[in-house]
Amino acid sequence: MSRPHTITSARTALGLAVALAMGATALPGAAHAQQNTGGTVQAEQHYDISAGPLSQVLNRFADQAGVALSFDAARLGQRRSGGLKGRFTVEQGFSRLLDGSGQIAREKSPGNYVIEATNDNRLDPVQVKTGRLGLSTENTGSYTTAQVGIGRTVESVRDIPQTVNVVTSQQIKDRNMTTLQDALENTTGVSVKSYGTGTANYLIRGFETDAISIDGNQTGGTSSGTHGHGAPDLAGFERVEVLKGPAGLLQGSAEPGGYINLVRKRALAERAVSLTGFAHSWPGYRVQVDATGALTDDDRLRARTVVAYEDSDGYIDDVTLEKKVLYTTLEYDLTDATTTSIGFSTEDVESVPDVGVPTYADGTFADIDRDLYTGAPFNNKSSRLSRAFVEVEHLFDNGVMLLASANRTERDFDYLLNYTVSPIDPVTGESTRWALATDQELEEQAYDVRLDMPVSLLGLNHDVLLGVHRRTSEDVSSGYQIDLNYPPINVFAPETASNPWPNLAPFSDPSTTEQEETGVYFKTTSSLTYATKLILGGRLTNWETDNGQDTERVSDEFTPYAGVVHELNNDLSLYASAAQSFVPQTAEKANGDILAPREGTQFEIGAKGVFNRGLTNYNLALFRITDDNRAIQDPGNPAFSVAGGKVRAQGVEAEIAGQVSERIQVLTGYAYTDTEQLESDDPNAEGKPFAPDSPEHSLKLWGKYTFNPSWEAGLGAQYSSGTFAESGGVRWEQNGYTTFSAMAAYNLNADTRFVLTGSNLTDKRYYSRVQGGGRQNYFGDARQFKLSFETRF
């Protein structure tokens, strides 16, 4: 059994390493506070306690409040806290720090508190009762959260001087989401660029994100598009976090638009099993089982396993999907201060992909059936994605947290596709088709070690994060095989098409591409006053890729970060930040040198606040991103390039998320994104949008009303101002459109729930993606109804 942990008070400081990072000196040591013998102080006082392990945050709170505190450290486990800022009484402070933990603080005698478990650790499944929100969103019933783990450490959303959006566990359940694509389609300011049948790229502030992270560790195995695995399944994930703007501090080489982080489900001590079933109207079904609990009497060893199976059709008759998902993890508390976790996951997907439809060459769309399939009956894609990870967390007596992780990803996919490549012939109605086949394998390893160090200096609390990250990958391709003379298809009479087995011939040679990236990063969060924090950081990155013929390197690329957050009061903060990113390029100069990396820079100012006792978050942001050094044609040597391209994205984003009243939860967001090509080798392109597939205006509205403990209903609407594609002076344009959605939920009891959702209720016909010409134009999904059933044991 774990030993009780008694805290009277502690003031910690770190030695020379922290002093150097903070630009000041502090002597190491710890002292124990004295008990407040005069009784509990119930007058409000100001607290500024930074995020960290819950046990350590409670320690600091007791220290500042001048009270004694006893608790069982094992009962809190490795639970994290976003800290505490503002004026509170002792009881208010304990209430907010412990909210959602299943624990309460009880005053045994004046000035002496003990942490105890509540009678029922599960919150009401229908609505959030009281108190501010914590880190985990499971079982909170909330559409928002106060804390995220997006920055490689637990932070308060209000302490991050950039826009952050979170898709919580309750949102996932209420909207019957099953993939990352589902989640991002409902995220403010994110556009989904479909490639059909669960594959997509994601545009944030006009830039396509090229990587996704899992628990703060970047992985290339989730890359989407036709040549990727597809949208990750959400069965093994508790929430989705999206950081807007450059994340060079976190990722190293990355596009400047934003950063997507998936958070795995953790093994819990409380034993629980849930069974979820889905059925949808296209038709299709899905079954999912999620089991967790302690494997030992002392709760030190915990496990969680999630399995899911899906077999479904698209609204296009020939399009199908079969998916098998497994996620399992073990957590073990080696000591009261050390926890190790291991886990493994796989996704096996067999599909017949949607390959899109062609258009006319003059920029108009044909009057074709929305369920037109231009591929062949034997088209198929097989993909297997597996991951393994191990993590270790250790909390030192002085409050320093050490976190180390290792991740391995393996992806193997192959496909045979037929797709259109020419505009529709206005006389014959035909479009030329090609057949394409390939087989690719990816192996990737990632390692990260970081120290999260609280510092007490000049009577104020600070935090220092130091880390090193390394990622290596090997991508092996068998080369592409292609049939350029495959029979065409008449888009008005697809049943007449001839679909012989393709006569494939080698189109590209087999290749192996190796890539490695190493980064050293730091971030300091310094309290200038009780109300103002300065955040400074940076990352030094070395990057290299080798395809067997050419080797490209980027050495000592530094990406700085700076921000300031000022708390006007307990419920409202103002912030400003500047962040950079870089993207390596492969284009060559006339002298044979590789172009320097593209450099993205964002400036953002905004406000973040809460209301309704902290159960609702809102934010407003203004941003401007410039991306410079983009490769353009060398005017004097057309076969080579120079770094003369430049683009800009700027706009406004606003969101309200959470419980606005006792019965109403909302998720409402608006984004205005203006993109412009500032400098280009094509004078006709200058001044035009560089990201025409990202809508200028988008509005996403959703609200849920709880009638009583049994019944809930939700309504939603999404508006897009439209997108377009342009080539050779011809424009293909999808005008603005609005779609509507709804849900109805019936809670049979506290453990059993039915949810019926409907999307595109008016069955609006529109193009979700416009590429122009011969291929990759995709209709938006037809109307669909989903019914889910969940019961917990």
Side-chain angles (χ1 to χ4, degrees):
M1 296 295 291
S2 59
R3 62 182 182 277
H5 197 83
T6 302
I7 301 173
T8 53
S9 174
R11 292 192 180 277
T12 62
L14 300 177
L16 183 59
V18 176
L20 291 173
M22 294 295 298
T25 58
L27 296 175
H32 294 283
Q34 299 174 356
Q35 180 178 326
N36 183 344
T37 57
T40 304
V41 179
Q42 286 300 319
E44 288 187 352
Q45 69 179 74
H46 192 283
Y47 296 93
D48 183 16
I49 301 173
S50 58
L54 179 56
S55 58
Q56 180 61 32
V57 171
L58 288 169
N59 182 0
R60 297 178 208 158
F61 175 73
D63 175 22
Q64 294 186 24
V67 299
L69 177 66
S70 299
F71 63 89
D72 184 345
R75 190 181 297 278
L76 299 181
Q78 296 300 305
R79 186 180 292 274
R80 305 276 291 177
S81 169
L84 186 70
K85 296 196 307 180
R87 297 187 64 82
F88 305 99
T89 65
V90 173
E91 290 186 357
Q92 288 172 340
F94 276 127
S95 176
R96 294 193 174 184
L97 289 174
L98 294 170
D99 187 57
S101 68
Q103 309 292 315
I104 59 173
R106 182 172 63 85
E107 190 174 21
K108 296 174 61 178
S109 61
N112 289 273
Y113 284 80
V114 62
I115 304 299
E116 298 177 339
T118 60
N119 292 331
D120 184 2
N121 287 351
R122 290 184 302 182
L123 296 178
D124 191 304
V126 178
Q127 59 182 320
V128 179
K129 291 294 187 182
T130 60
R132 300 206 171 200
L133 300 165
L135 175 63
S136 175
T137 67
E138 283 195 281
N139 301 321
T140 66
S142 178
Y143 279 9
T144 191
T145 181
Q147 304 165 32
V148 290
I150 203 166
R152 300 188 186 275
T153 184
V154 176
E155 294 182 273
S156 166
V157 172
R158 287 178 59 188
D159 284 346
I160 300 174
Q162 287 178 255
T163 300
V164 176
N165 305 112
V166 179
V167 182
T168 67
S169 177
Q170 193 63 40
Q171 291 181 46
I172 291 170
K173 291 182 178 182
D174 283 351
R175 308 292 290 274
N176 279 335
M177 301 175 186
T178 57
T179 69
L180 178 62
Q181 182 172 335
D182 294 337
L184 295 180
E185 283 176 341
N186 294 283
T187 301
T188 300
V190 179
S191 300
V192 174
K193 185 175 181 179
S194 176
Y195 287 84
T197 321
T199 58
N201 285 349
Y202 312 108
L203 289 93
I204 304 176
R205 296 185 172 175
F207 297 90
E208 288 193 33
T209 61
D210 56 353
I212 294 169
S213 292
I214 297 176
D215 286 342
N217 293 296
Q218 182 181 343
T219 173
T222 54
S223 59
S224 296
T226 303
H227 307 290
H229 172 76
D233 194 277
L234 293 180
F237 298 103
E238 181 251 314
R239 67 184 184 277
V240 181
E241 303 172 338
V242 180
L243 176 74
K244 303 293 183 59
L249 175 65
L250 306 175
Q251 289 184 286
S253 59
E255 291 289 336
Y259 170 85
I260 299 168
N261 185 48
L262 290 163
V263 180
R264 292 186 180 102
K265 292 179 177 178
R266 301 294 299 265
L268 306 177
E270 183 181 1
R271 295 184 180 181
V273 179
S274 68
L275 170 65
T276 307
F278 298 82
H280 69 76
S281 58
W282 282 350
Y285 71 93
R286 176 186 172 101
V287 178
Q288 181 174 310
V289 178
D290 184 346
T292 188
L295 302 181
T296 58
D297 291 339
D298 59 6
D299 292 348
R300 286 188 178 273
L301 180 62
R302 303 171 296 279
R304 188 162 192 170
T305 297
V306 183
V307 294
Y309 176 79
E310 180 175 348
D311 189 354
S312 60
D313 295 335
Y315 68 89
I316 300 172
D317 289 341
D318 298 89
V319 172
T320 62
L321 173 72
E322 182 183 19
K323 178 163 49 176
K324 304 170 185 176
V325 181
L326 168 66
Y327 165 70
T328 187
T329 182
L330 285 172
E331 289 189 9
Y332 182 63
D333 297 331
L334 297 172
T335 69
D336 290 344
T338 306
T339 296
T340 184
S341 308
I342 60 173
F344 175 77
S345 66
T346 62
E347 290 184 24
D348 281 298
V349 181
E350 300 282 342
S351 66
V352 177
D354 176 11
V355 292
V357 299
T359 65
Y360 287 120
D362 63 358
T364 58
F365 300 109
D367 185 17
I368 57 179
D369 291 337
R370 184 167 51 183
D371 61 355
L372 170 67
Y373 182 65
T374 59
F378 50 78
N379 282 183
N380 68 89
K381 180 178 179 180
S382 298
S383 181
R384 176 184 174 87
L385 178 66
S386 62
R387 296 188 182 93
F389 70 91
V390 58
E391 297 177 347
V392 177
E393 297 182 359
H394 178 74
L395 178 64
F396 293 93
D397 290 340
N398 59 5
V400 176
M401 173 67 82
L402 169 67
L403 303 99
S405 64
N407 293 265
R408 179 177 174 81
T409 300
E410 295 182 0
R411 184 196 69 198
D412 184 2
F413 79 87
D414 61 80
Y415 63 69
L416 171 59
L417 303 177
N418 294 78
Y419 53 91
T420 58
V421 294
S422 73
I424 301 169
D425 187 310
V427 177
T428 65
E430 290 186 341
S431 177
T432 302
R433 289 190 296 175
W434 289 353
L436 183 70
T438 190
D439 186 346
Q440 296 183 13
E441 297 179 3
L442 171 73
E443 293 185 2
E444 179 182 77
Q445 296 82 32
Y447 311 92
D448 190 85
V449 179
R450 56 194 182 273
L451 287 170
D452 186 8
M453 302 178 288
V455 179
S456 180
L457 187 66
L458 301 178
L460 296 172
N461 292 315
H462 316 274
D463 192 80
V464 177
L465 177 69
L466 300 174
V468 60
H469 182 81
R470 177 173 172 80
R471 183 166 65 95
T472 63
S473 66
E474 182 181 69
D475 198 343
V476 180
S477 172
S478 64
Y480 291 98
Q481 300 182 67
I482 197 166
D483 183 350
L484 300 176
N485 298 303
Y486 200 79
I489 187 171
N490 187 324
V491 298
F492 302 104
E495 69 280 0
T496 65
S498 173
N499 294 302
W501 192 263
N503 183 22
L504 296 169
F507 182 72
S508 64
D509 295 330
S511 64
T512 298
T513 301
E514 296 180 347
Q515 182 174 309
E516 63 179 62
E517 182 173 316
T518 303
V520 178
Y521 57 91
F522 76 95
K523 184 174 72 170
T524 63
T525 302
S526 305
S527 296
L528 303 181
T529 69
Y530 285 116
T532 305
K533 290 187 176 181
L534 175 66
I535 301 96
L536 297 174
R539 179 184 176 111
L540 190 67
T541 302
N542 290 308
W543 177 91
E544 180 178 317
T545 185
D546 185 348
N547 63 8
Q549 298 178 337
D550 297 304
T551 300
E552 298 155 20
R553 295 184 180 89
V554 176
S555 300
D556 300 329
E557 183 74 20
F558 183 68
T559 49
Y561 181 87
V564 61
V565 179
H566 178 70
E567 182 181 300
L568 293 177
N569 53 51
N570 286 355
D571 297 326
L572 178 62
S573 300
L574 303 179
Y575 70 87
S577 65
Q580 284 192 353
S581 64
F582 79 95
V583 179
Q585 302 190 96
T586 59
E588 290 187 5
K589 299 178 183 179
N591 63 4
D593 292 342
I594 300 298
L595 290 183
R598 288 167 37 208
E599 293 185 355
T601 303
Q602 174 181 272
F603 296 97
E604 178 174 331
I605 60 174
K608 296 182 181 182
V610 298
F611 61 89
N612 191 24
R613 308 184 319 280
L615 298 179
T616 304
N617 287 332
Y618 65 89
N619 65 268
L620 173 67
L622 289 79
F623 67 88
R624 172 175 286 186
I625 302 174
T626 56
D627 190 49
D628 210 349
N629 293 339
R630 298 168 77 95
I632 63 174
Q633 189 179 73
D634 186 341
N637 296 278
F640 298 95
S641 300
V642 294
K646 185 176 183 180
V647 300
R648 181 185 66 205
Q650 58 187 2
V652 179
E653 291 183 3
E655 183 179 77
I656 300 175
Q659 184 175 321
V660 298
S661 71
E662 184 178 356
R663 295 181 180 273
I664 299 176
Q665 291 223 55
V666 301
L667 179 62
T668 298
Y670 166 76
Y672 166 71
T673 307
D674 172 55
T675 69
E676 183 177 351
Q677 184 81 45
L678 299 179
E679 299 173 8
S680 172
D681 55 348
D682 179 5
N684 294 324
E686 292 184 2
K688 293 183 178 180
F690 79 86
D693 43 8
S694 180
E696 188 174 19
H697 299 274
S698 65
L699 180 64
K700 299 181 181 182
L701 308 175
W702 177 261
K704 182 181 73 169
Y705 185 81
T706 300
F707 295 95
N708 53 51
S710 296
W711 287 99
E712 302 165 278
L715 290 173
Q718 291 196 12
Y719 167 76
S720 168
S721 60
T723 60
F724 68 91
E726 191 169 8
S727 178
V730 178
R731 175 178 288 200
W732 293 264
E733 186 166 6
Q734 167 63 59
N735 294 323
Y737 59 90
T738 302
T739 59
F740 298 93
S741 57
M743 65 86 74
Y746 174 66
N747 300 285
L748 183 63
N749 52 49
D751 295 317
T752 303
R753 188 175 192 238
F754 295 85
V755 179
L756 175 65
T757 58
S759 57
N760 193 8
L761 294 177
T762 61
D763 206 22
K764 176 75 174 179
R765 176 189 166 104
Y766 66 97
Y767 283 88
S768 64
R769 179 185 176 191
V770 177
Q771 186 73 15
R775 61 175 180 155
Q776 293 188 328
N777 301 283
Y778 288 93
F779 285 107
D781 285 346
R783 178 170 51 218
Q784 184 185 39
F785 293 100
K786 285 185 180 180
L787 176 64
S788 67
F789 161 79
E790 180 184 14
T791 186
R792 296 182 296 177
F793 306 95

